[in-house]
């Protein structure tokens, strides 16, 4: 039966031509686990040509941008591009598996093949991590650049995620003394809301209905990542810093730790560090729900730098919260964070970590991409762990760009790192041996929201997610001006503090207008 026209459905997808349908109906390449590149001679950092080096490290070539396939067939049009199908599956009661889905047994029996309940939960946490990008004000001409576009009461609803069943309870802000690539967005406005802090994420908690569905009261922390993955290659120095007394030989990358722990009395939003802000809220929520006799879980998610901050947050939370609160991390494109001793300490604290990693993405191989594998080889020779070698921790869900029939296969470093593309690949993943599933429902157009990874035959414009007229609007006098924010969306340290105090007392504070210091 022919598909309805895009005009009749009011959807952005045009009908597929016979040529396009044939291209998409070729046999799907198979997904595979992430493979480390073989040891090879590399240039010193001072003489690196980034595009060539990345291409060699990832074993890619700039060739056809189309999906490869060898077996033609007339497969049904995948649900992900059909305009007459819902973009997400109905929610199911998954409470019978809540412990396994949160990492008990290291997801044994749920990863290969990927259990549909676990797949949907991974996507749920990934979409909450995506909120930290979609809700972020990147506009340097805005006086609020670097803040969240919306107040926390409206954030998920404004971004179409009210269906997740979570309520945002706290915003988290961060600063840094060390240059992490483009993590800090600065306003060009003279009256900027902040000159030293950025909105870095949020804490949310499942509502009653969602808690019944998943079998526990789930507290989520979502951390934002950096913007341009190519800058990681040049700017991350890979300096490990000891965590200090009481942490043994555990060391972590100093830039990540700096973002997590930096604070200054001179700032408005970071008189306390990101660590202190998030841990105060976690203690409050955990105590609240444990006193009510509920089962409480903590799930920490993030993409890129956010994945690194998620591990640091999990390490601290597992040390500070009651033992009956399970702590798990669901991260996407996370870099290496610490040495083997750090990983062992996380295991001792029973932190469960699941990392989604795309084979072609360079960021999960950082820091240490130029020398880490050689040092690990030396470990095998000397017969012991080296405390200055970076290591990943936890279980890995290996994804491959070539598994999707919708994606280009040329070199696109930014595209390979894009979170929406990660979620597309998770939605289609079944196992290393199985093809991309045709019943995947998540809208494939989201891949091109901030990238150009989709096949041109799909006719989805690249980087389509942009503000109309670049944020300018015509006022009643015919003048083009920047619109003002709604009062509840204006960042204010006073409102944050007052809301926190009110929640401690079990009441709700009225909005306090932004007041310049």
């Amino acid at each position: 039966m022919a598909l309805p026209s895009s005009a009749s459905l009011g959807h952005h997808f045009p009908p597929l031509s016979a040529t396009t349908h044939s291209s998409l109906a070729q046999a799907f390449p198979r997904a595979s686990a992430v493979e480390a590149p073989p040891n090879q001679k590399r240039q010193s950092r001072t003489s690196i040509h980034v595009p060539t080096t990345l291409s060699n490290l990832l074993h890619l070539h700039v060739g056809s941008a189309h999906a490869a396939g060898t077996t033609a067939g007339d497969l049904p049009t995948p649900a992900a591009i059909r305009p007459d199908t819902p973009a997400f599956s109905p929610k199911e009661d998954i409470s019978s598996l809540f412990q396994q889905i949160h990492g008990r047994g290291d997801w044994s029996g749920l990863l290969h093949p990927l259990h549909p309940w676990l797949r949907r939960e991974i996507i749920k946490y990934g979409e909450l991590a995506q909120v930290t990008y979609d809700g972020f004000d990147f506009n340097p001409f805005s006086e609020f650049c670097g803040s969240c576009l919306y107040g926390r009461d409206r954030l998920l609803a404004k971004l179409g995620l009210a269906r997740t069943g979570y309520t945002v309870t706290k915003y988290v802000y961060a600063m840094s003394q060390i240059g992490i690539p483009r993590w800090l967005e600065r306003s060009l406005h003279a009256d900027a809301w902040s000159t030293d802090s950025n909105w870095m994420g949020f804490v949310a908690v499942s509502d009653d209905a969602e808690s019944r569905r998943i079998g526990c009261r789930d507290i989520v922390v979502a951390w934002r990542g950096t913007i341009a993955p190519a800058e990681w290659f040049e700017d991350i120095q890979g300096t490990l810093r000891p965590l200090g007394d009481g942490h043994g030989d555990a060391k972590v990358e100093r830039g990540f730790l700096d973002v997590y722990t930096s604070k200054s009395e001179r700032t408005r939003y970071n008189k306390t560090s990101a660590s202190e802000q998030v841990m105060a809220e976690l203690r409050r929520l955990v105590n609240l729900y444990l006193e009510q006799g509920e089962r409480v879980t903590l799930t920490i998610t993030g993409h890129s730098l956010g994945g690194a901050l998620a591990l640091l947050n999990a390490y601290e939370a597992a040390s500070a919260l009651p033992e009956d609160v399970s702590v798990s991390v669901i991260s996407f494109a996370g870099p290496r964070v610490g040495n083997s001793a750090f990983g062992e300490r996380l295991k001792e604290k029973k932190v469960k970590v699941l990392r989604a990693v795309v084979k072609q993405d360079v960021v999960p191989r950082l820091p240490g991409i130029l020398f880490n594998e050689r040092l690990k080889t030396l470990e095998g020779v000397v017969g012991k762990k080296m405390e200055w070698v970076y290591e990943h921790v936890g279980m890995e869900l290996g994804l491959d760009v070539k598994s999707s029939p919708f994606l280009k296969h040329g070199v696109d470093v930014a595209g390979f790192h894009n979170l929406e593309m990660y979620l597309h690949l998770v939605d289609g993943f079944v196992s290393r041996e199985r093809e991309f599933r045709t019943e995947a429902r998540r809208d494939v157009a989201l891949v091109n929201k901030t990238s150009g990874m989709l096949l041109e035959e799909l006719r989805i414009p690249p980087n389509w997610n942009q503000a109309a007229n670049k944020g300018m609007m015509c006022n009643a006098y015919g003048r083009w001006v920047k619109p003002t924010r709604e009062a509840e969306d204006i960042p204010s340290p006073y409102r944050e503090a007052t809301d926190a105090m009110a929640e401690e007392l079990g009441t709700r504070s009225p909005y306090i207008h932004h007041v310049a210091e």
Side-chain angles (χ1 to χ4, degrees):
M1 186 175 77
L3 291 176
S5 70
S6 58
S8 66
L9 290 169
H11 198 283
H12 50 265
F13 287 110
L16 296 179
S17 66
T19 302
T20 303
H21 187 92
S22 175
S23 173
L24 295 176
Q26 293 176 354
F28 298 166
R30 295 178 176 178
S32 63
V34 173
E35 299 172 359
N39 293 328
Q40 55 186 301
K41 291 184 178 180
R42 300 182 174 106
Q43 297 173 337
S44 68
R45 190 175 188 280
T46 56
S47 60
I48 290 170
H49 181 254
V50 173
T52 302
T53 305
L54 291 178
S55 180
N56 291 338
L57 287 168
L58 299 175
H59 302 283
L60 300 171
H61 64 281
V62 181
S64 170
H66 299 278
T70 55
T71 305
D74 190 19
L75 299 177
T77 304
I81 61 172
R82 289 188 58 181
D84 58 345
T85 59
F88 44 84
S89 303
K91 287 189 173 184
E92 299 174 89
D93 187 326
I94 64 172
S95 57
S96 60
L97 277 182
F98 93 93
Q99 289 181 320
Q100 291 89 333
I101 285 174
H102 285 274
R104 182 175 180 179
D106 291 322
W107 295 278
S108 176
L110 299 183
L111 284 176
H112 298 290
L114 185 58
H115 195 289
W117 291 359
L118 178 58
R119 179 190 296 113
R120 290 168 195 161
E121 291 303 288
I122 293 172
I123 291 172
K124 177 181 77 175
Y125 294 120
E127 288 180 336
L128 289 172
Q130 180 65 41
V131 165
T132 64
Y133 293 114
D134 294 342
F136 190 75
D137 189 345
F138 291 104
N139 183 1
F141 297 100
S142 166
E143 61 266 44
F144 303 116
C145 179
S147 72
C148 183
L149 290 166
Y150 309 107
R152 58 185 174 87
D153 292 336
R154 306 197 319 153
L155 176 64
L156 298 185
K158 291 292 288 185
L159 297 178
L161 288 180
R163 61 182 168 80
T164 59
Y166 284 77
T167 300
V168 177
T169 67
K170 175 72 175 177
Y171 278 172
V172 180
Y173 299 88
M175 61 178 294
S176 179
Q177 316 278 348
I178 295 176
I180 295 294
R182 287 191 63 185
W183 84 274
L184 180 62
E185 294 290 330
R186 296 183 182 277
S187 174
L188 300 177
H189 200 279
D191 240 349
W193 72 284
S194 175
T195 57
D196 39 45
S197 299
N198 267 202
W199 179 64
M200 209 61 200
F202 60 88
V203 181
V205 64
S206 57
D207 61 22
D208 292 345
E210 180 69 1
S211 298
R212 286 192 297 270
R213 185 187 78 85
I214 64 180
C216 58
R217 184 71 65 172
D218 188 33
I219 301 169
V220 173
V221 184
W223 293 95
R224 184 174 63 81
T226 51
I227 313 307
E231 293 180 333
W232 285 81
F233 194 81
E234 293 291 345
D235 296 344
I236 289 293
Q237 303 298 319
T239 303
L240 283 163
R241 175 188 291 176
L243 283 174
D245 295 340
H247 301 282
D249 294 327
K251 297 180 176 65
V252 297
E253 204 282 327
R254 66 169 184 156
F256 304 151
L257 186 62
D258 187 72
V259 172
Y260 187 62
T261 60
S262 288
K263 62 181 179 179
S264 172
E265 281 295 327
R266 296 190 302 273
T267 68
R268 298 171 64 192
Y269 288 83
N270 279 113
K271 295 184 187 301
T272 58
S273 66
S275 161
E276 291 168 331
Q277 294 166 46
V278 73
M279 288 307 302
E281 182 66 0
L282 291 182
R283 289 186 181 96
R284 184 185 74 82
L285 291 172
V286 166
N287 290 337
L288 172 65
Y289 292 112
L290 286 182
E291 287 175 1
Q292 296 177 4
E294 299 191 39
R295 292 184 295 195
V296 179
T297 58
L298 171 60
T299 308
I300 310 176
T301 188
H303 168 259
S304 191
L305 169 62
L309 297 176
L311 278 182
L312 295 175
N313 188 186
Y315 182 90
E316 183 176 22
S319 305
L321 299 179
E323 290 186 1
D324 51 350
V325 176
S326 66
V327 180
S328 59
V329 173
I330 308 290
S331 72
F332 303 83
R336 295 165 174 146
V337 175
N339 61 359
S340 61
F342 176 67
E344 289 301 321
R345 296 281 294 181
L346 279 168
K347 292 176 186 176
E348 292 170 7
K349 296 174 184 296
K350 299 180 182 179
V351 174
K352 301 299 182 180
V353 180
L354 179 58
R355 299 178 298 106
V357 175
V358 167
K359 179 179 180 179
Q360 290 82 0
D361 187 5
V362 67
V363 170
R365 303 181 192 183
L366 298 172
I369 192 170
L370 298 181
F371 55 84
N372 211 72
E373 278 73 27
R374 287 186 175 180
L375 290 177
K376 288 185 69 63
T377 301
L378 184 58
E379 282 185 345
V381 175
V382 300
K384 66 176 183 178
K385 294 284 187 181
M386 299 181 67
E387 60 182 87
W388 296 103
V389 174
Y390 284 93
E391 284 197 3
H392 276 303
V393 64
M395 305 300 295
E396 182 177 286
L397 178 62
L399 307 168
D400 191 338
V401 169
K402 294 182 180 180
S403 70
S404 171
F406 308 112
L407 301 179
K408 299 174 183 177
H409 292 173
V411 177
D412 186 340
V413 175
F416 294 154
H417 190 58
N418 185 276
L419 179 53
E420 288 287 5
M421 191 206 65
Y422 266 77
L423 298 180
H424 166 68
L425 292 176
V426 171
D427 195 32
F429 182 81
V430 180
S431 73
R432 299 184 186 99
E433 294 75 29
R434 297 273 297 278
E435 297 171 345
F436 197 93
R437 66 189 191 106
T438 57
E439 65 270 27
R441 287 173 177 255
R442 198 164 191 276
D443 194 344
V444 73
L446 292 171
V447 173
N448 265 18
K449 187 161 68 175
T450 56
S451 78
M453 286 290 292
L454 290 175
L455 291 171
E456 293 176 0
E457 288 92 334
L458 289 170
R459 288 176 263 176
I460 306 299
N463 300 295
W464 54 259
N465 185 35
Q466 44 191 302
N469 302 312
K470 294 190 175 180
M472 299 292 285
M473 64 174 291
C474 190
N475 68 12
Y477 300 99
R479 301 286 184 183
W480 285 91
V481 297
K482 290 186 301 179
T484 57
R485 281 197 185 184
E486 296 288 336
E488 60 193 297
D489 297 333
I490 296 174
S492 168
Y494 309 102
R495 182 188 183 193
E496 292 279 335
T498 305
D499 280 355
M501 184 180 299
E503 284 164 350
E504 287 284 354
L505 298 173
T507 61
R508 186 70 177 154
S509 70
Y511 176 69
I512 297 178
H513 288 281
H514 177 75
V515 180
E517 285 185 340

